Amino acid sequence: MKPKKNFETLAVRTQTSRSSQREHSVPIYTTSSFVFNDAEQARAMFANEIEGNIYSRFSNPNNDEFVQKLCLLEGTEDGIATASGMAAMFCSMAAFLQKGDHILASRALFGSTHQVITQILPKWGIDYSYVDIGDNGAWEKEIRKETKMIFAETPSNPGLDLIDLGYLGEIASKHGIILNIDNCFATPYLQTPASFGAHIITHSATKFIDGQGRVLGGAILGSRDLIEKVRFFARHTGPAMSPFHGWILSKSLETLAVRMEKHCENALKLAQWLETQQGVQWVKYPFLPSHSQHKLALKQMRLGGGMVTFEIKSGLEGGRKFLNNLKMLSLTANLGDTRSIATHPASTTHSKLSKEEKLSTGISDGLIRISTGLEHLDDIISDVEQALAAAI
Ligand SMILES: *Cc1c(COP(=O)(O)O)cnc(C)c1O
């Protein structure tokens, strides 16, 4: 048996086959279709008797390379690439759920995922309920006989609360429910949900996987059987990734490990520094001992991730002042970029929620979320320091 290669090696060396040009790096296959040698080959490919590319909505060498790598890193058998993270979230639900089914999800979800579950799936008779993140016992109580899928993100956005993956894996298997984990915040470098029993892993590759704020992309990974169903759904509904994005994202995976190491190192040090600051009420970061789920973080994550949240003492107005006084950190909706980014959810992404809704998803008036980038730590801290001083 060949020894299993390590994460970094798999990410760098997994490559779809070379063409007759003997290129070192795989070229971009910008073609909508692929030619058949003869009628018999065309018949056999359409009949699924032999493998091969037919049309780029079904498969493309660049997207296949990206997904093959991601499968090796996540420890799953198969997967498909999608045009965005939301295409992945939607397809991973729509491929399995039908009228009368129920989806159980954690309350703290990415905004558009929340809209899909509460506004779009119900149009087709799919019901949902939410569980408060971190309340282990609550999950099992909410399971009904119609529950077909459990969906969760960990760490959560922007609260950075964790979900116990081992526990969810156990109850999903006990009740025969598909466990679908959005692993966008952690990436497979920090945690592999499949190893805790998750059946489907979903990604927004737009964030840390691209890591440089260039392209949108997503992926759905799992066992061959489950992905066959997703592939059927995606092939006929068309959320295909562009080959150019597949090429970019496959290259991005080659540097994921070194980037995540640095994101996490900068984030931990920033979080430790923030804990010493006067104007800061509290700091949340999974690898700080002050995080209420620190033990769980150490159990299921390799490092604490690139995101840090903190509460500014001067509340809603302080949060706005903090953003307005930043000189280097970007004010933008993305995260997981080489460039550090600050957001103030209470006045932007979550401003439409009621006070109770905000609090139940962990958003307080003075909460600031920082996606820690790859600039020098001293420069990140000095920008945050002067903006904090102006916000008090
Ligand atoms: C950004 C994000 C998504 C959606 O991904 P897009 O690529 O923007 O469509 C889904 N889940 C999480 C946790 C995200 O941060």
Side-chain angles (χ1 to χ4, degrees):
M1 212 176 94
K2 276 200 270 176
K4 192 178 171 314
K5 294 219 169 58
N6 291 296
F7 187 100
E8 291 82 346
T9 313
L10 291 170
V12 170
R13 288 287 172 179
T14 306
Q15 189 166 334
T16 39
S17 61
R18 288 204 173 98
S19 79
S20 57
Q21 299 299 321
R22 297 172 289 105
E23 65 277 344
H24 191 197
S25 162
V26 166
I28 308 175
Y29 291 87
T30 51
T31 178
S32 30
S33 66
F34 300 82
V35 288
F36 306 109
N37 294 333
D38 50 37
E40 171 49 23
Q41 191 191 37
R43 185 205 61 78
M45 277 192 186
F46 269 98
N48 255 339
E49 289 168 14
I50 53 172
E51 279 193 12
N53 296 306
I54 298 175
Y55 190 65
S56 282
R57 169 153 48 79
F58 314 166
S59 67
N60 174 284
N62 296 113
N63 299 349
D64 288 350
E65 182 179 283
F66 165 61
V67 165
Q68 276 175 31
K69 271 187 201 178
L70 203 51
C71 284
L72 288 168
L73 304 181
E74 287 281 9
T76 57
E77 282 177 347
D78 202 0
I80 70 158
T82 55
S84 69
M86 282 322 300
M89 303 309 146
F90 177 68
C91 287
S92 73
M93 295 174 190
F96 295 109
L97 301 175
Q98 60 186 39
K99 188 173 169 190
D101 287 347
H102 171 250
I103 179 167
L104 184 58
S106 70
R107 192 180 302 279
L109 288 178
F110 182 70
S112 291
T113 310
H114 165 75
Q115 300 299 347
V116 167
I117 291 178
T118 60
Q119 306 293 325
I120 297 175
L121 294 181
K123 291 204 301 183
W124 293 296
I126 298 160
D127 198 7
Y128 72 94
S129 32
Y130 278 157
V131 175
D132 283 326
I133 195 162
D135 183 358
N136 262 5
W139 288 93
E140 203 163 8
K141 277 191 224 123
E142 291 292 330
I143 291 175
R144 313 175 186 168
K145 66 177 190 317
E146 298 82 19
T147 309
K148 291 284 156 55
M149 181 173 281
I150 296 178
F151 185 94
E153 295 166 16
T154 178
S156 72
N157 176 29
L160 300 184
D161 294 305
L162 306 187
I163 285 180
D164 187 335
L165 288 173
Y167 168 76
L168 278 195
E170 257 171 47
I171 65 160
S173 121
K174 180 171 150 199
H175 296 272
I177 299 169
I178 296 174
L179 177 59
N180 183 346
I181 299 290
D182 176 345
N183 202 27
C184 158
F185 265 44
T187 82
Y189 188 66
L190 303 188
Q191 93 196 351
T192 50
S195 64
F196 294 94
H199 306 96
I200 293 284
I201 320 298
T202 35
H203 273 287
S204 166
T206 314
K207 312 294 169 54
F208 289 101
I209 290 183
D210 172 40
Q212 287 146 88
R214 300 167 297 185
V215 298
L216 295 183
I220 308 165
L221 315 164
S223 67
R224 202 149 278 132
D225 289 356
L226 292 181
I227 294 302
E228 217 34 70
K229 294 205 167 114
V230 181
R231 185 168 281 123
F232 172 84
F233 185 88
R235 173 169 169 158
H236 300 298
T237 56
M241 174 179 274
S242 136
F244 176 63
H245 291 188
W247 179 81
I248 291 254
L249 292 167
S250 183
K251 285 280 159 208
S252 303
L253 284 177
E254 296 188 18
T255 57
L256 183 65
V258 281
R259 286 187 287 107
M260 289 312 288
E261 285 284 344
K262 192 68 186 173
H263 279 297
C264 295
E265 183 192 326
N266 278 353
L268 174 63
K269 289 184 177 155
L270 174 66
Q272 287 167 337
W273 175 83
L274 280 165
E275 274 198 322
T276 66
Q277 297 306 299
Q278 284 290 320
V280 172
Q281 188 76 32
W282 50 255
V283 182
K284 209 143 169 202
Y285 184 71
F287 268 39
L288 281 182
S290 59
H291 191 290
S292 63
Q293 296 165 298
H294 184 231
K295 269 212 193 96
L296 178 62
L298 295 179
K299 189 172 130 204
Q300 67 187 32
M301 298 175 77
R302 185 203 296 250
L303 294 164
M307 310 300 294
V308 178
T309 59
F310 65 96
E311 175 80 10
I312 205 160
K313 275 188 187 152
S314 43
L316 196 65
E317 201 37 44
R320 294 164 60 93
K321 275 196 201 147
F322 176 81
L323 284 203
N324 285 336
N325 281 285
L326 286 167
K327 295 198 166 70
M328 180 181 82
L329 268 64
S330 310
L331 309 188
T332 180
N334 200 16
L335 63 95
D337 197 310
T338 50
R339 300 169 178 198
S340 296
I341 295 165
T343 52
H344 180 221
S347 71
T348 57
T349 47
H350 295 72
S351 60
K352 289 200 193 75
L353 299 189
S354 69
K355 196 151 184 99
E356 293 80 59
E357 282 176 317
K358 275 190 215 161
L359 288 178
S360 69
T361 44
I363 296 156
S364 45
D365 281 347
L367 184 139
I368 304 282
R369 185 189 80 178
I370 295 192
S371 169
T372 321
L374 305 184
E375 303 97 339
H376 195 287
L377 178 70
D378 294 348
D379 298 324
I380 300 173
I381 287 183
S382 94
D383 195 30
V384 171
E385 186 169 30
Q386 61 82 25
L388 259 180
I392 287 169

